[in-house]
Amino acid sequence: MPTNQSCCIEGCKKEPKIMCLGCPELLYCGSHHKQHRDYLNIKLHGLNDECNQFLNEIETETGDSQKKHGLLKDIDKWETKSIAKIRQMAQETREALVSHVANFIPTVKIQMASFNAKVSQNSDDNEFVDTDIAQWTAELERLKATLNNPPDSTVREDPTEFISKIYFKVKVISNIPANATWAQNGVTVAGGHGKGSATNQLNHPFSLFVDDDQTVVIADCANHRITQWKKDDLTNGQIVAGGKGKGNGLNQLNEPTDVLIDKETDSLIICDRWNRRVVRWSRRSGITQGEILIDNINCFGLAMDDQRYIYVSDTKKHEVRRYELGEKNGTLVAGGNGEGTGLNQLNEPRYLFVDRQQNVYVSDRNNHRVMKWIKGATEGIVVAGGQGQGDALTQLNSPNGLFVDTLGTLYVADSWNHRLMRWSQGAKQGTVIVNGNGKGTGSNQFYGPVCLTFDRHGNLYVVDHNNHRVQRFSIE
């Protein structure tokens, strides 16, 4: 960028004076500008070398090298404090972590290949500046850190046991590549035998939760029960809560609409919608009834954050509240200003997602939009839809289930458009990721999808409400 100012950064008064776009406060004469570019080239080549070195480390992150993984040290400390009868549990946890790292490596390799190509392209084009190199260096350091510390992975002890149990814990999925695709033909993993109450059937299911071992727990709404389906037995489900007919007894449910698993207490948290309560039901064998956590609430959707606060949507008050376990009144975190279209309002909020910063995402069903409420905010931000009811890529039609990955990408069950959509952070329109084939019963179709989630491998699970089934779509 030529400039009329008189003095080079090196004190030289030669002409012309050139301003570097990456550091506009610095002026150079022609010769010193060339030296500056040579310096940037050296830094970029160093960055390329680091990229290649890190790629080599990824390639060798197998076998014995995985056994040195940082999180395994916590497992070893626990084992040395324990007695012989718990050594088997330690070994099982090691295997879970090694398996996760092995499954995580391809994601890091894909990201590194993309990053390396971007850096190499800029090197060839010679269009980079200081700020670019600083940004790329920071990105490389972040990618390197993820290999030794995969996002959302922890090792923790359970202090409630006489001899502490140990778990390897990973959030459902740590990262989904921005350009990921899924098979367009789903596989039925629950139901699919028509509407009914038999063990191989569902009746208008509303939500699901996928456990670490790919067990699928389903709010089987019109059967007034919660069922779970093991990945190695897709023929029949097992009733784990309710199933005693519609009612308000502690052993009954009345059209449950959402369910999640609380790992700390090994229990189910259930939105018992038409009993206007949230209940907790232990997963331990022999438990035949639940306990009321929150009552007198027109609940629909649930979420739990990393601090184990429970978030509940209220479709009558058009609001979302956060509850500490044992608390009855909660704290307002979204809506609460009556039914409406304003940024401080909601209209029948349904499903929820809470990220690690305690930002709350809400499917604002009757406003045909998804809202993000930053922690402590009095107004929300429209992050999907909000352009009226419709089927354009800028629109939604009665959105329901949500999922947000660590990149901030939003996935939405666009129910009455019978499709699943992806909205990148800041995007003005979404992308259809599954089913552009209209309403139907085929393996590549939906009839009112209402909830979606992912397992740790990135496979997509969808509650196909009016087809009375749950479909899994394999990540490609």
Side-chain angles (χ1 to χ4, degrees), residues 273 276 295-299 312-321 323 328-329 332 334-340 344-349:
R273 178 165 171 74
R276 301 182 64 245
D295 57 8
N296 297 317
I297 182 171
N298 292 282
C299 56
V312 187
S313 61
D314 188 318
T315 57
K316 186 173 181 179
K317 293 182 178 179
H318 308 285
E319 67 181 23
V320 179
R321 286 187 173 268
Y323 296 83
K328 294 299 182 183
N329 295 321
L332 182 69
N337 295 291
E339 173 186 328
N344 67 343
Q345 294 178 300
L346 298 167
N347 188 348
E348 196 177 315

mmCIF file of all heavy atoms in Angstrom, residues 273 276 295-299 312-321 323 328-329 332 334-340 344-349:
data_model
loop_
_atom_site.group_PDB
_atom_site.id
_atom_site.type_symbol
_atom_site.label_atom_id
_atom_site.label_comp_id
_atom_site.label_asym_id
_atom_site.label_seq_id
_atom_site.Cartn_x
_atom_site.Cartn_y
_atom_site.Cartn_z
ATOM 1 N N ARG A 273 -44.627 -34.492 30.981
ATOM 2 C CA ARG A 273 -45.294 -33.282 30.511
ATOM 3 C C ARG A 273 -46.675 -33.051 31.109
ATOM 4 O O ARG A 273 -46.952 -32.003 31.688
ATOM 5 C CB ARG A 273 -45.385 -33.293 28.984
ATOM 6 C CG ARG A 273 -46.118 -32.069 28.416
ATOM 7 C CD ARG A 273 -45.865 -31.931 26.928
ATOM 8 N NE ARG A 273 -46.683 -30.919 26.299
ATOM 9 C CZ ARG A 273 -46.525 -29.597 26.410
ATOM 10 N NH1 ARG A 273 -45.564 -29.130 27.193
ATOM 11 N NH2 ARG A 273 -47.301 -28.752 25.778
ATOM 12 N N ARG A 276 -47.127 -32.278 34.594
ATOM 13 C CA ARG A 276 -46.554 -30.964 34.890
ATOM 14 C C ARG A 276 -45.452 -31.073 35.944
ATOM 15 O O ARG A 276 -45.409 -30.348 36.931
ATOM 16 C CB ARG A 276 -47.653 -29.994 35.359
ATOM 17 C CG ARG A 276 -48.769 -29.797 34.330
ATOM 18 C CD ARG A 276 -49.826 -28.807 34.775
ATOM 19 N NE ARG A 276 -49.236 -27.465 34.935
ATOM 20 C CZ ARG A 276 -49.135 -26.824 36.098
ATOM 21 N NH1 ARG A 276 -49.567 -27.407 37.214
ATOM 22 N NH2 ARG A 276 -48.597 -25.619 36.157
ATOM 23 N N ASP A 295 -42.104 -29.455 40.194
ATOM 24 C CA ASP A 295 -43.509 -29.663 39.852
ATOM 25 C C ASP A 295 -44.177 -28.330 39.535
ATOM 26 O O ASP A 295 -43.571 -27.268 39.624
ATOM 27 C CB ASP A 295 -44.251 -30.420 40.951
ATOM 28 C CG ASP A 295 -44.176 -29.729 42.310
ATOM 29 O OD1 ASP A 295 -43.674 -28.587 42.383
ATOM 30 O OD2 ASP A 295 -44.628 -30.319 43.306
ATOM 31 N N ASN A 296 -45.445 -28.409 39.112
ATOM 32 C CA ASN A 296 -46.231 -27.235 38.723
ATOM 33 C C ASN A 296 -45.527 -26.443 37.604
ATOM 34 O O ASN A 296 -45.375 -25.233 37.678
ATOM 35 C CB ASN A 296 -46.499 -26.332 39.928
ATOM 36 C CG ASN A 296 -47.325 -27.026 40.996
ATOM 37 O OD1 ASN A 296 -48.306 -27.711 40.678
ATOM 38 N ND2 ASN A 296 -46.915 -26.888 42.246
ATOM 39 N N ILE A 297 -45.111 -27.158 36.572
ATOM 40 C CA ILE A 297 -44.437 -26.525 35.444
ATOM 41 C C ILE A 297 -44.927 -27.179 34.151
ATOM 42 O O ILE A 297 -45.035 -28.403 34.074
ATOM 43 C CB ILE A 297 -42.893 -26.633 35.572
ATOM 44 C CG1 ILE A 297 -42.204 -25.930 34.406
ATOM 45 C CG2 ILE A 297 -42.439 -28.084 35.697
ATOM 46 C CD1 ILE A 297 -40.707 -25.807 34.571
ATOM 47 N N ASN A 298 -45.243 -26.353 33.170
ATOM 48 C CA ASN A 298 -45.687 -26.868 31.869
ATOM 49 C C ASN A 298 -44.460 -27.176 31.017
ATOM 50 O O ASN A 298 -44.152 -26.498 30.036
ATOM 51 C CB ASN A 298 -46.595 -25.844 31.188
ATOM 52 C CG ASN A 298 -47.911 -25.676 31.918
ATOM 53 O OD1 ASN A 298 -48.807 -26.499 31.796
ATOM 54 N ND2 ASN A 298 -48.021 -24.614 32.710
ATOM 55 N N CYS A 299 -43.757 -28.199 31.423
ATOM 56 C CA CYS A 299 -42.452 -28.497 30.830
ATOM 57 C C CYS A 299 -42.599 -29.199 29.487
ATOM 58 O O CYS A 299 -43.604 -29.846 29.202
ATOM 59 C CB CYS A 299 -41.634 -29.357 31.781
ATOM 60 S SG CYS A 299 -42.450 -30.897 32.274
ATOM 61 N N VAL A 312 -35.135 -26.163 31.889
ATOM 62 C CA VAL A 312 -36.457 -26.662 31.538
ATOM 63 C C VAL A 312 -37.206 -25.585 30.750
ATOM 64 O O VAL A 312 -37.259 -24.422 31.170
ATOM 65 C CB VAL A 312 -37.275 -27.037 32.789
ATOM 66 C CG1 VAL A 312 -38.587 -27.719 32.383
ATOM 67 C CG2 VAL A 312 -36.471 -27.943 33.718
ATOM 68 N N SER A 313 -37.802 -25.971 29.624
ATOM 69 C CA SER A 313 -38.644 -25.044 28.866
ATOM 70 C C SER A 313 -40.083 -25.157 29.350
ATOM 71 O O SER A 313 -40.573 -26.246 29.647
ATOM 72 C CB SER A 313 -38.563 -25.336 27.366
ATOM 73 O OG SER A 313 -39.029 -26.642 27.077
ATOM 74 N N ASP A 314 -40.759 -24.002 29.431
ATOM 75 C CA ASP A 314 -42.150 -23.928 29.872
ATOM 76 C C ASP A 314 -42.968 -23.369 28.714
ATOM 77 O O ASP A 314 -42.817 -22.197 28.347
ATOM 78 C CB ASP A 314 -42.258 -23.022 31.102
ATOM 79 C CG ASP A 314 -43.651 -23.041 31.738
ATOM 80 O OD1 ASP A 314 -44.639 -23.017 30.983
ATOM 81 O OD2 ASP A 314 -43.742 -23.053 32.975
ATOM 82 N N THR A 315 -43.840 -24.212 28.127
ATOM 83 C CA THR A 315 -44.562 -23.806 26.918
ATOM 84 C C THR A 315 -45.745 -22.891 27.207
ATOM 85 O O THR A 315 -46.280 -22.274 26.285
ATOM 86 C CB THR A 315 -45.069 -25.047 26.163
ATOM 87 O OG1 THR A 315 -45.897 -25.827 27.039
ATOM 88 C CG2 THR A 315 -43.903 -25.894 25.682
ATOM 89 N N LYS A 316 -46.161 -22.797 28.455
ATOM 90 C CA LYS A 316 -47.274 -21.903 28.799
ATOM 91 C C LYS A 316 -46.773 -20.513 29.177
ATOM 92 O O LYS A 316 -47.353 -19.495 28.776
ATOM 93 C CB LYS A 316 -48.099 -22.493 29.948
ATOM 94 C CG LYS A 316 -49.360 -21.687 30.258
ATOM 95 C CD LYS A 316 -50.240 -22.396 31.283
ATOM 96 C CE LYS A 316 -51.514 -21.599 31.560
ATOM 97 N NZ LYS A 316 -52.393 -22.284 32.550
ATOM 98 N N LYS A 317 -45.683 -20.466 29.936
ATOM 99 C CA LYS A 317 -45.093 -19.175 30.311
ATOM 100 C C LYS A 317 -44.127 -18.667 29.236
ATOM 101 O O LYS A 317 -43.615 -17.547 29.345
ATOM 102 C CB LYS A 317 -44.374 -19.291 31.649
ATOM 103 C CG LYS A 317 -45.305 -19.544 32.822
ATOM 104 C CD LYS A 317 -44.524 -19.590 34.134
ATOM 105 C CE LYS A 317 -45.455 -19.793 35.327
ATOM 106 N NZ LYS A 317 -44.703 -19.871 36.604
ATOM 107 N N HIS A 318 -43.840 -19.492 28.237
ATOM 108 C CA HIS A 318 -42.957 -19.110 27.130
ATOM 109 C C HIS A 318 -41.601 -18.647 27.673
ATOM 110 O O HIS A 318 -41.104 -17.558 27.362
ATOM 111 C CB HIS A 318 -43.604 -18.020 26.270
ATOM 112 C CG HIS A 318 -44.987 -18.366 25.820
ATOM 113 N ND1 HIS A 318 -45.242 -19.275 24.811
ATOM 114 C CD2 HIS A 318 -46.199 -17.965 26.281
ATOM 115 C CE1 HIS A 318 -46.554 -19.395 24.657
ATOM 116 N NE2 HIS A 318 -47.150 -18.624 25.528
ATOM 117 N N GLU A 319 -40.988 -19.535 28.448
ATOM 118 C CA GLU A 319 -39.717 -19.200 29.086
ATOM 119 C C GLU A 319 -38.887 -20.459 29.320
ATOM 120 O O GLU A 319 -39.382 -21.592 29.191
ATOM 121 C CB GLU A 319 -39.955 -18.490 30.424
ATOM 122 C CG GLU A 319 -40.595 -19.375 31.485
ATOM 123 C CD GLU A 319 -40.863 -18.668 32.802
ATOM 124 O OE1 GLU A 319 -40.976 -17.412 32.803
ATOM 125 O OE2 GLU A 319 -40.964 -19.352 33.843
ATOM 126 N N VAL A 320 -37.618 -20.234 29.663
ATOM 127 C CA VAL A 320 -36.713 -21.313 30.049
ATOM 128 C C VAL A 320 -36.109 -20.939 31.405
ATOM 129 O O VAL A 320 -35.664 -19.802 31.600
ATOM 130 C CB VAL A 320 -35.587 -21.514 29.021
ATOM 131 C CG1 VAL A 320 -34.638 -22.632 29.468
ATOM 132 C CG2 VAL A 320 -36.171 -21.823 27.646
ATOM 133 N N ARG A 321 -36.098 -21.889 32.320
ATOM 134 C CA ARG A 321 -35.505 -21.661 33.642
ATOM 135 C C ARG A 321 -34.398 -22.680 33.918
ATOM 136 O O ARG A 321 -34.423 -23.804 33.433
ATOM 137 C CB ARG A 321 -36.557 -21.742 34.746
ATOM 138 C CG ARG A 321 -37.475 -20.529 34.776
ATOM 139 C CD ARG A 321 -38.411 -20.508 35.976
ATOM 140 N NE ARG A 321 -39.119 -19.241 36.014
ATOM 141 C CZ ARG A 321 -38.697 -18.166 36.680
ATOM 142 N NH1 ARG A 321 -37.583 -18.237 37.396
ATOM 143 N NH2 ARG A 321 -39.381 -17.039 36.644
ATOM 144 N N TYR A 323 -32.358 -24.715 36.978
ATOM 145 C CA TYR A 323 -32.577 -25.190 38.340
ATOM 146 C C TYR A 323 -31.339 -25.892 38.859
ATOM 147 O O TYR A 323 -30.753 -26.738 38.169
ATOM 148 C CB TYR A 323 -33.742 -26.185 38.392
ATOM 149 C CG TYR A 323 -35.081 -25.610 38.008
ATOM 150 C CD1 TYR A 323 -35.443 -25.493 36.670
ATOM 151 C CD2 TYR A 323 -35.994 -25.196 38.974
ATOM 152 C CE1 TYR A 323 -36.683 -24.972 36.295
ATOM 153 C CE2 TYR A 323 -37.235 -24.685 38.617
ATOM 154 C CZ TYR A 323 -37.570 -24.572 37.279
ATOM 155 O OH TYR A 323 -38.793 -24.061 36.921
ATOM 156 N N LYS A 328 -36.662 -25.431 43.631
ATOM 157 C CA LYS A 328 -38.033 -25.517 43.132
ATOM 158 C C LYS A 328 -38.419 -24.368 42.202
ATOM 159 O O LYS A 328 -39.280 -24.541 41.336
ATOM 160 C CB LYS A 328 -39.019 -25.563 44.312
ATOM 161 C CG LYS A 328 -38.903 -26.813 45.169
ATOM 162 C CD LYS A 328 -39.191 -28.084 44.373
ATOM 163 C CE LYS A 328 -39.110 -29.329 45.243
ATOM 164 N NZ LYS A 328 -39.323 -30.567 44.458
ATOM 165 N N ASN A 329 -37.838 -23.184 42.361
ATOM 166 C CA ASN A 329 -38.283 -22.013 41.595
ATOM 167 C C ASN A 329 -37.422 -21.722 40.376
ATOM 168 O O ASN A 329 -37.908 -21.282 39.350
ATOM 169 C CB ASN A 329 -38.342 -20.784 42.495
ATOM 170 C CG ASN A 329 -39.389 -20.925 43.593
ATOM 171 O OD1 ASN A 329 -40.472 -21.452 43.353
ATOM 172 N ND2 ASN A 329 -39.047 -20.493 44.800
ATOM 173 N N LEU A 332 -34.693 -17.531 35.738
ATOM 174 C CA LEU A 332 -35.062 -17.286 34.344
ATOM 175 C C LEU A 332 -33.814 -17.070 33.491
ATOM 176 O O LEU A 332 -32.957 -16.252 33.833
ATOM 177 C CB LEU A 332 -35.961 -16.046 34.257
ATOM 178 C CG LEU A 332 -36.475 -15.672 32.867
ATOM 179 C CD1 LEU A 332 -37.483 -16.695 32.375
ATOM 180 C CD2 LEU A 332 -37.094 -14.270 32.877
ATOM 181 N N ALA A 334 -34.212 -17.421 29.701
ATOM 182 C CA ALA A 334 -34.645 -17.078 28.333
ATOM 183 C C ALA A 334 -36.146 -16.828 28.350
ATOM 184 O O ALA A 334 -36.902 -17.519 29.036
ATOM 185 C CB ALA A 334 -34.314 -18.208 27.354
ATOM 186 N N GLY A 335 -36.575 -15.839 27.565
ATOM 187 C CA GLY A 335 -37.995 -15.531 27.474
ATOM 188 C C GLY A 335 -38.503 -14.904 28.754
ATOM 189 O O GLY A 335 -37.848 -14.086 29.391
ATOM 190 N N GLY A 336 -39.745 -15.284 29.135
ATOM 191 C CA GLY A 336 -40.328 -14.766 30.360
ATOM 192 C C GLY A 336 -41.054 -13.452 30.192
ATOM 193 O O GLY A 336 -41.475 -12.846 31.186
ATOM 194 N N ASN A 337 -41.221 -12.999 28.956
ATOM 195 C CA ASN A 337 -41.922 -11.742 28.682
ATOM 196 C C ASN A 337 -43.206 -11.982 27.896
ATOM 197 O O ASN A 337 -43.640 -11.144 27.109
ATOM 198 C CB ASN A 337 -41.008 -10.779 27.934
ATOM 199 C CG ASN A 337 -39.818 -10.343 28.778
ATOM 200 O OD1 ASN A 337 -39.977 -9.616 29.749
ATOM 201 N ND2 ASN A 337 -38.630 -10.831 28.436
ATOM 202 N N GLY A 338 -43.790 -13.140 28.113
ATOM 203 C CA GLY A 338 -45.032 -13.473 27.449
ATOM 204 C C GLY A 338 -44.810 -13.976 26.028
ATOM 205 O O GLY A 338 -43.713 -13.910 25.475
ATOM 206 N N GLU A 339 -45.878 -14.493 25.449
ATOM 207 C CA GLU A 339 -45.829 -14.993 24.072
ATOM 208 C C GLU A 339 -45.615 -13.839 23.097
ATOM 209 O O GLU A 339 -46.264 -12.805 23.181
ATOM 210 C CB GLU A 339 -47.145 -15.704 23.767
ATOM 211 C CG GLU A 339 -47.322 -16.146 22.326
ATOM 212 C CD GLU A 339 -48.715 -16.701 22.082
ATOM 213 O OE1 GLU A 339 -49.300 -17.291 23.014
ATOM 214 O OE2 GLU A 339 -49.218 -16.534 20.957
ATOM 215 N N GLY A 340 -44.675 -14.002 22.158
ATOM 216 C CA GLY A 340 -44.446 -12.940 21.173
ATOM 217 C C GLY A 340 -43.265 -13.228 20.285
ATOM 218 O O GLY A 340 -42.596 -14.262 20.410
ATOM 219 N N ASN A 344 -36.804 -10.590 23.111
ATOM 220 C CA ASN A 344 -36.873 -10.969 24.529
ATOM 221 C C ASN A 344 -38.063 -11.885 24.805
ATOM 222 O O ASN A 344 -38.450 -12.069 25.953
ATOM 223 C CB ASN A 344 -36.936 -9.725 25.415
ATOM 224 C CG ASN A 344 -38.241 -8.956 25.224
ATOM 225 O OD1 ASN A 344 -38.953 -9.149 24.236
ATOM 226 N ND2 ASN A 344 -38.542 -8.068 26.158
ATOM 227 N N GLN A 345 -38.635 -12.450 23.739
ATOM 228 C CA GLN A 345 -39.811 -13.292 23.874
ATOM 229 C C GLN A 345 -39.625 -14.626 23.162
ATOM 230 O O GLN A 345 -38.744 -14.789 22.309
ATOM 231 C CB GLN A 345 -41.043 -12.588 23.279
ATOM 232 C CG GLN A 345 -41.479 -11.331 24.023
ATOM 233 C CD GLN A 345 -42.668 -10.677 23.348
ATOM 234 O OE1 GLN A 345 -42.599 -10.284 22.183
ATOM 235 N NE2 GLN A 345 -43.775 -10.552 24.089
ATOM 236 N N LEU A 346 -40.494 -15.577 23.524
ATOM 237 C CA LEU A 346 -40.553 -16.877 22.876
ATOM 238 C C LEU A 346 -42.026 -17.208 22.634
ATOM 239 O O LEU A 346 -42.918 -16.613 23.244
ATOM 240 C CB LEU A 346 -39.914 -17.957 23.756
ATOM 241 C CG LEU A 346 -38.426 -17.803 24.077
ATOM 242 C CD1 LEU A 346 -38.004 -18.746 25.191
ATOM 243 C CD2 LEU A 346 -37.573 -18.021 22.832
ATOM 244 N N ASN A 347 -42.259 -18.165 21.753
ATOM 245 C CA ASN A 347 -43.619 -18.630 21.488
ATOM 246 C C ASN A 347 -43.590 -20.151 21.393
ATOM 247 O O ASN A 347 -43.230 -20.715 20.375
ATOM 248 C CB ASN A 347 -44.167 -18.012 20.199
ATOM 249 C CG ASN A 347 -45.648 -18.310 19.995
ATOM 250 O OD1 ASN A 347 -46.231 -19.147 20.683
ATOM 251 N ND2 ASN A 347 -46.261 -17.622 19.044
ATOM 252 N N GLU A 348 -43.936 -20.787 22.497
ATOM 253 C CA GLU A 348 -43.888 -22.233 22.687
ATOM 254 C C GLU A 348 -42.467 -22.774 22.512
ATOM 255 O O GLU A 348 -42.172 -23.524 21.573
ATOM 256 C CB GLU A 348 -44.853 -22.985 21.772
ATOM 257 C CG GLU A 348 -45.070 -24.420 22.256
ATOM 258 C CD GLU A 348 -46.068 -25.218 21.455
ATOM 259 O OE1 GLU A 348 -47.147 -24.677 21.135
ATOM 260 O OE2 GLU A 348 -45.767 -26.391 21.156
ATOM 261 N N PRO A 349 -41.579 -22.407 23.442
ATOM 262 C CA PRO A 349 -40.221 -22.989 23.412
ATOM 263 C C PRO A 349 -40.288 -24.476 23.711
ATOM 264 O O PRO A 349 -41.032 -24.911 24.595
ATOM 265 C CB PRO A 349 -39.497 -22.225 24.519
ATOM 266 C CG PRO A 349 -40.588 -21.834 25.476
ATOM 267 C CD PRO A 349 -41.787 -21.541 24.608
#
